[in-house]
Amino acid sequence: MKNKHIAVLDDNKDILEMVKTILELEDYEVSTCNLLEELELLMITDKPNVIICDMLMSGEDGRNVCKTFKADPTMADVPFILFTAHPNAEKSCMAAKADFFLEKPFDITKFFESVSQAIELEQKLQTQAA
Amino acid sequence: MEVLQPKLNSGKTADYVLEKDWSSHPLGPYEFWPTTLKCALNIIKHSKFPKLIFWGVDLFVFYNDAFRQSIGTEKHPATIGMRFDDAYPESKRRMRPVIEKVLQTGESSYFVDELVPIQRNGCISEAYWTFSHSPLMDEFGTPLGIFLDCFETTDSFTKTSLSRPAARDFKSLSDSLSQPVFATDATGVITYANSSLLAYTGKSFEELQSAGWEDIVPAEDLENVIDDWKDAVALKSSYSTEVRYKKHNGEIRSFLVSCIPVLDVNGSVIRWVGSSFDIQSLKDQEKEKDIFIGMASHELKTPVTSIKAYVQLLLRKYATNEDKLLANSLTKLDAQVNSLTILIKDMLDLSKMKTGNLELNKGQFCVDNIIRDVIDELALVHINHNFNYQNPDKSVIYCDKDRISQVLINLLTNAIKYAPDSYEISITCESTNDTLRVSITDKGIGLSKSDLEHVFERFYRSEGKNQATFPGFGIGLYIAADIVQRHNGSIGAESTLGVGSTFYFDLPISNPV
């Protein structure tokens, strides 16, 4: 079976590298995007199973990205995890239709939990669609 | 001003009264006027002293030639027979209460060198008068109107008071200040404004005096300002408050205004003197500082996120490694990263508390679960400590679970920090009908009485010989106290030096039995 594919969007390259490293150790296939355009292209060329996205990026609000994706039927079925160093953002992230929320810095056990829950959710959404 | 030597022929104003067509006036034609009024008009007609009559409940205005000199062409002859309120709107605020009192009590008024502004020669001028109101009664003693003897003293008063060296010095002194300074009469009418206040508002003294505070204070703040003022008037006490002033260019800036009452020999307030200190830049700086702290904590958290993840990743791999140094170091590193995260969070919370932006996400939570979670979490890091949880309580509290956890963590880490030689910490619950108390007791160094009083203040750290060994911002307890207060609870501490301390907080129970 093909490894699950996870896309990460963050304006901070160190965070991208870190997330990629820990996810790859758990045998996920990881695509990192430094710009929204890269993620948008990826959604067409190699649609991921889960998206992990930073909330506050320079020039981009992850909540708006999430809202736009969730409003598009071709992308709404990809579970969306928003994570941020901004405190007390859970409410607004959930309001933006994010499936999961993580506060930075996070515990990696918690992080892996959210990712595997997102994978489960994706499978459920796929079955429903089929 | 030559008030003392009227040049006009006496009786001219009275002739005007006779010649005027009164048929459409509420008083009706002259021949039907009450005898008392006609007599009174005759009495004032020839007097060389300025006199007025305010007749009836409407206070219809009549005056003699001697008074005509004080009012100029704007009010003569237009104000003859007019209602007082319409004829003298600029003086109404000062005079109306005096008139009411004379009508009610039948007792005459007497004022010396009193400021009553008057509209003349195209502007409202600051005029001083010595005057007396006396009731005009019928034969049964019923007041029908008011007699007013009023003598303008503006020239002599200003010569004797404001020209005095002390008064001149006061003016020079206040004009030299960059802070707006003002004086008002007992009723709050502005009687003096220094050049800074005039420059700030971009208005002339006359404009400020006629429009009053409405021209300086934004409309939405007026009510609060008036309330503060009323309190101070009732207490005759000085007061200090934050007031926003409108600048001439539309900008609104905050000032710290201090006012003191000037009392006469009888203890009555004769005027208020106030100064204003521009605190807008302080407020702006405070705001900038909070924005900076917000950004700094966000930026600090980003590298911490990476460090934490890598450390945990290494821990996963090497926690059971034979190399004990590696495993131990990683565990220590993880704990230190957690401490750093808490410090960053505290720093942000603090700035939010000050600005009142700390949000609570309240829900119904069983306090027992919160306590157990916190103990489990801390026990992982402080492996040598024994957390003795007594008398668990299942009460449900309407609270922000994360914030109450934070209170517990702050109190517990405080207990751990200040009890370095003891590993016994007990957590006890007690509930009454409607309140739950959670107490945390340590066997640490304890606190002196003076320390106890300040322990919940910001940046307060117990001063002792070991102080240097207790790191932290000194804000953990301050934050805990703030959170508990936001839950309508209370926080407290008891302690004996060298024996230990008990910190406790009380929270209201959601559905009391």
Side-chain angles (χ1 to χ4, degrees):
Chain A
M1 200 177 96
K2 189 176 169 269
N3 285 343
K4 290 292 178 185
H5 177 202
I6 297 172
V8 191
L9 172 62
D10 199 310
D11 60 344
N12 184 303
K13 287 186 176 157
D14 295 328
I15 294 282
L16 283 180
E17 198 191 326
M18 177 273 287
V19 173
K20 187 177 161 76
T21 311
I22 58 173
L23 282 175
E24 281 178 349
L25 273 172
E26 293 284 310
D27 294 330
Y28 291 109
E29 183 198 328
V30 183
S31 303
T32 56
C33 311
N34 205 207
L35 292 168
L36 176 59
E37 290 72 25
E38 297 170 38
L39 178 62
E40 282 169 344
L41 184 68
L42 194 72
M43 295 305 284
I44 303 161
T45 55
D46 186 10
K47 194 170 157 187
N49 299 98
V50 172
I51 298 165
I52 302 175
C53 174
D54 185 31
M55 186 182 94
L56 288 183
M57 294 170 283
S58 43
E60 212 67 67
D61 188 322
R63 288 167 294 197
N64 290 339
V65 179
C66 181
K67 256 188 242 169
T68 318
F69 278 34
K70 287 295 179 186
D72 184 334
T74 65
M75 300 194 277
D77 57 346
V78 184
F80 207 106
I81 302 176
L82 271 172
F83 68 167
T84 181
H86 191 79
N88 310 325
E90 183 160 7
K91 253 189 195 168
S92 66
C93 285
M94 289 317 195
K97 301 222 167 98
D99 299 293
F100 300 93
F101 169 81
L102 269 175
E103 193 179 325
K104 289 180 192 168
F106 47 75
D107 203 274
I108 57 167
T109 318
K110 221 171 170 182
F111 177 74
F112 286 135
E113 255 172 43
S114 299
V115 174
S116 49
Q117 278 171 5
I119 299 281
E120 273 171 42
L121 176 69
E122 193 245 352
Q123 277 158 354
K124 217 166 28 186
L125 292 174
Q126 295 297 329
T127 339
Q128 274 171 10
Chain B
M1 207 152 296
E2 297 171 29
V3 187
L4 280 169
Q5 293 160 332
K7 286 176 196 154
L8 294 162
N9 295 329
S10 62
K12 283 248 166 105
T13 312
D15 292 345
Y16 183 87
V17 172
L18 282 176
E19 284 156 18
K20 188 177 155 112
D21 176 13
W22 294 94
S23 53
S24 57
H25 191 275
L27 281 171
Y30 181 78
E31 52 269 33
F32 299 122
W33 287 8
T35 320
T36 320
L37 174 58
K38 286 181 177 170
C39 283
L41 285 170
N42 256 322
I43 294 168
I44 66 167
K45 178 172 155 185
H46 297 295
S47 176
K48 299 290 183 204
F49 275 84
K51 288 179 194 291
L52 293 97
I53 291 168
F54 304 138
W55 181 259
V57 280
D58 288 315
L59 303 174
F60 293 121
V61 173
F62 297 95
Y63 49 89
N64 65 357
D65 288 337
F67 183 68
R68 234 175 97 175
Q69 304 217 358
S70 289
I71 50 177
T73 50
E74 283 161 67
K75 291 201 193 283
H76 177 80
T79 56
I80 294 177
M82 256 177 129
R83 286 181 175 84
F84 172 76
D85 288 355
D86 300 329
Y88 293 96
E90 72 280 14
S91 323
K92 192 174 120 183
R93 194 165 159 200
R94 179 70 192 93
M95 294 298 263
R96 200 59 211 232
V98 179
I99 294 171
E100 302 290 342
K101 201 177 163 200
V102 173
L103 286 174
Q104 269 168 25
T105 62
E107 284 171 24
S108 300
S109 77
Y110 183 61
F111 290 89
V112 178
D113 292 336
E114 185 73 15
L115 174 73
V116 180
I118 187 166
Q119 167 87 37
R120 60 185 173 196
N121 309 325
C123 65
I124 292 178
S125 57
E126 187 186 9
Y128 292 83
W129 313 78
T130 291
F131 58 86
S132 169
H133 296 84
S134 47
L136 190 56
M137 301 184 197
D138 65 7
E139 63 264 47
F140 307 109
T142 318
L144 302 173
I146 295 274
F147 250 133
L148 172 59
D149 291 285
C150 92
F151 195 76
E152 183 166 4
T153 58
T154 308
D155 282 3
S156 57
F157 176 69
T158 46
K159 268 189 198 116
T160 51
S161 58
L162 277 183
S163 327
R164 272 193 217 126
R168 255 201 333 254
D169 287 353
F170 165 75
K171 198 178 173 304
S172 311
L173 174 65
S174 68
D175 279 342
S176 75
L177 296 172
S178 56
Q179 292 98 331
V181 170
F182 57 85
T184 75
D185 68 5
T187 62
V189 173
I190 297 170
T191 56
Y192 175 77
N194 74 342
S195 52
S196 163
L197 183 56
L198 297 179
Y200 180 86
T201 55
K203 294 189 187 297
S204 68
F205 173 71
E206 285 74 21
E207 284 172 317
L208 281 188
Q209 190 173 45
S210 61
W213 291 99
E214 288 85 349
D215 238 17
I216 305 174
V217 176
E220 62 266 35
D221 296 0
L222 261 180
E223 204 177 313
N224 282 336
V225 171
I226 291 170
D227 283 350
D228 285 348
W229 161 259
K230 279 184 180 160
D231 290 345
V233 167
L235 294 168
K236 293 182 188 172
S237 67
S238 57
Y239 76 112
S240 219
T241 183
E242 202 180 306
V243 181
R244 297 193 304 159
Y245 288 170
K246 293 188 281 191
K247 201 173 177 174
H248 58 83
N249 61 2
E251 192 189 343
I252 293 177
R253 297 180 72 84
S254 288
F255 286 80
L256 185 67
V257 177
S258 303
C259 273
I260 54 166
V262 179
L263 307 178
D264 65 10
V265 281
N266 303 317
S268 310
V269 176
I270 46 175
R271 65 176 67 88
W272 292 84
V273 182
S275 63
S276 334
F277 183 73
D278 190 335
I279 53 169
Q280 190 60 47
S281 41
L282 281 177
K283 290 186 84 119
D284 290 346
Q285 281 167 18
E286 190 91 334
K287 209 171 175 183
E288 270 169 28
K289 186 204 73 191
D290 289 333
I291 292 171
F292 172 77
I293 290 177
M295 264 170 49
S297 79
H298 185 267
E299 290 310 303
L300 284 171
K301 275 184 188 173
T302 305
V304 169
T305 304
S306 285
I307 298 170
K308 190 178 163 92
Y310 284 119
V311 169
Q312 291 191 338
L313 191 69
L314 291 172
L315 257 180
R316 282 191 162 214
K317 235 181 145 174
Y318 300 109
T320 52
N321 195 279
E322 278 178 17
D323 185 347
K324 286 294 164 231
L325 176 68
L326 180 65
N328 276 341
S329 305
L330 286 171
T331 311
K332 289 257 160 65
L333 202 48
D334 190 37
Q336 289 305 312
V337 173
N338 285 338
S339 304
L340 183 58
T341 313
I342 289 170
L343 282 177
I344 297 169
K345 272 191 176 175
D346 280 358
M347 189 169 81
L348 186 66
D349 283 349
L350 187 72
S351 78
K352 281 191 180 171
M353 277 169 187
K354 274 199 69 200
T355 47
N357 284 335
L358 189 83
E359 282 172 40
L360 293 181
N361 277 321
K362 284 189 180 177
Q364 303 287 0
F365 294 104
C366 176
V367 74
D368 182 54
N369 296 338
I370 303 180
I371 295 174
R372 283 178 199 281
D373 285 350
V374 168
I375 292 176
D376 287 349
E377 196 180 314
L378 287 174
L380 280 178
V381 187
H382 303 276
I383 40 174
N384 295 324
H385 282 79
N386 181 20
F387 298 96
N388 185 8
Y389 181 27
Q390 294 160 339
N391 197 20
D393 194 292
K394 299 278 181 192
S395 297
V396 172
I397 307 280
Y398 182 62
C399 66
D400 182 327
K401 181 174 174 281
D402 293 337
R403 292 297 178 186
I404 293 301
S405 301
Q406 193 181 356
V407 172
L408 281 163
I409 290 171
N410 287 4
L411 293 182
L412 284 167
T413 47
N414 198 65
I416 293 164
K417 194 161 85 176
Y418 287 100
D421 305 324
S422 157
Y423 295 102
E424 283 297 316
I425 287 166
S426 55
I427 301 114
T428 314
C429 292
E430 281 169 89
S431 55
T432 59
N433 281 343
D434 52 3
T435 311
L436 170 81
R437 169 168 293 193
V438 181
S439 310
I440 285 139
T441 305
D442 65 61
K443 293 176 179 167
I445 58 168
L447 288 157
S448 68
K449 232 182 175 160
S450 61
D451 273 346
L452 259 186
E453 283 171 24
H454 302 287
V455 79
F456 293 106
E457 289 169 14
R458 205 148 54 112
F459 305 126
Y460 191 82
R461 288 168 58 173
S462 171
E463 293 214 14
K465 57 178 165 54
N466 293 330
Q467 188 195 5
T469 62
F470 301 125
F473 284 156
I475 53 177
L477 292 179
Y478 171 81
I479 290 173
D482 190 276
I483 293 171
V484 170
Q485 273 149 21
R486 278 168 207 264
H487 283 84
N488 304 319
S490 56
I491 195 162
E494 287 156 9
S495 185
T496 312
L497 257 184
V499 176
S501 310
T502 296
F503 283 81
Y504 58 85
F505 59 93
D506 296 336
L507 290 173
I509 293 173
S510 293
N511 298 304
V513 211

